[in-house]
């Protein structure tokens, strides 16, 4: 029996641009199921869940949770669902300097499927986890929310 996949709305901090809302809304627009959002007492304990994780107590055999994540905030962005659900992370640009941390997290939570907005990141993670189902959705980044900066060209 296949698991039902439900997306969880990303946590929204007032006054902060949240790039994760676009793909979340797109999921709902195409008829994807949405889970009830649970962020208990988040303001008081947010710092704790940026740096610490609870153990995975049990995993639902009927449902997986699609979580929209930034590698630097992986523990917070997946909380509290990593405790009792299989997590399918939708991961924003993961810089190479974060690969080791992200890889440890993916292994710890026995991630079977991951979605990336960066082809380069997806290729690096696929090398480390050849059995993982890796998807790339470059359209997952809404570039209209980015501030234009300096050119990356040298000339």
């Amino acid at each position: 029996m296949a698991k039902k996949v439900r997306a969880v709305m990303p946590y929204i901090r007032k006054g902060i641009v949240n790039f994760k809302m676009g793909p979340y809304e797109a999921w709902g627009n195409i008829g994807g199921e949405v889970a009830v959002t649970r962020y208990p007492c988040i303001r008081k304990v947010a710092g704790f869940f940026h740096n610490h994780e609870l153990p995975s107590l049990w995993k639902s055999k009927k449902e997986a949770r699609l979580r929209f994540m930034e590698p630097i905030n992986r523990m917070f962005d997946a909380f509290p669902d990593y405790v009792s659900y299989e997590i399918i992370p939708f991961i924003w640009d993961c810089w190479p300097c974060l690969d080791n941390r992200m890889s440890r997290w993916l292994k710890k939570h026995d991630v079977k499927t991951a979605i990336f907005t960066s082809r380069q990141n997806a290729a690096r993670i696929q090398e480390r986890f050849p059995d993982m189902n890796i998807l790339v959705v470059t359209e997952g980044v809404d570039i209209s929310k980015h501030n234009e900066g300096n050119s990356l060209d040298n000339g």
Side-chain angles (χ1 to χ4, degrees):
M1 181 172 102
K3 288 185 181 180
K4 190 176 284 192
V5 176
R6 288 193 172 118
V8 178
M9 186 174 85
Y11 180 71
I12 300 172
R13 287 187 2 201
K14 202 172 200 173
I16 304 293
V17 173
N18 194 332
F19 298 105
K20 299 173 246 180
M21 285 305 295
Y24 170 76
E25 291 169 352
W27 174 265
N29 290 342
I30 63 168
E33 290 193 42
V34 175
V36 174
T37 305
R38 301 176 300 159
Y39 292 106
C41 306
I42 206 74
R43 290 183 186 180
K44 295 180 182 179
V45 295
F48 178 83
F49 291 109
H50 274 281
N51 299 307
H52 301 88
E53 287 183 287
L54 298 173
S56 294
L57 302 174
W58 61 274
K59 301 287 183 182
S60 171
K61 296 194 183 313
K62 296 180 180 179
E63 183 177 337
R65 295 286 173 96
L66 178 60
R67 295 302 303 236
F68 302 90
M69 305 170 63
E70 296 175 58
I72 198 73
N73 295 326
R74 68 203 170 281
M75 294 183 286
F76 178 80
D77 287 344
F79 174 78
D81 292 320
Y82 66 78
V83 174
S84 53
Y85 294 95
E86 175 185 338
I87 298 296
I88 301 172
F90 190 117
I91 303 167
W92 267 253
D93 299 331
C94 184
W95 297 93
C97 63
L98 296 173
D99 278 356
N100 288 336
R101 282 190 256 176
M102 193 71 221
S103 293
R104 282 192 303 271
W105 189 90
L106 293 168
K107 184 176 181 175
K108 178 178 182 177
H109 294 288
D110 193 26
V111 172
K112 294 170 181 48
T113 300
I115 305 166
F116 294 88
T117 61
S118 163
R119 288 189 194 287
Q120 294 87 357
N121 182 230
R124 290 191 312 267
I125 296 298
Q126 188 74 77
E127 278 182 30
R128 291 177 181 212
F129 301 98
D131 294 333
M132 187 181 293
N133 184 22
I134 304 279
L135 305 169
V136 179
V137 182
T138 56
E139 299 82 7
V141 176
D142 180 359
I143 60 172
S144 70
K145 296 189 185 309
H146 289 271
N147 295 325
E148 187 172 332
N150 295 333
S151 172
L152 296 176
D153 296 341
N154 287 336

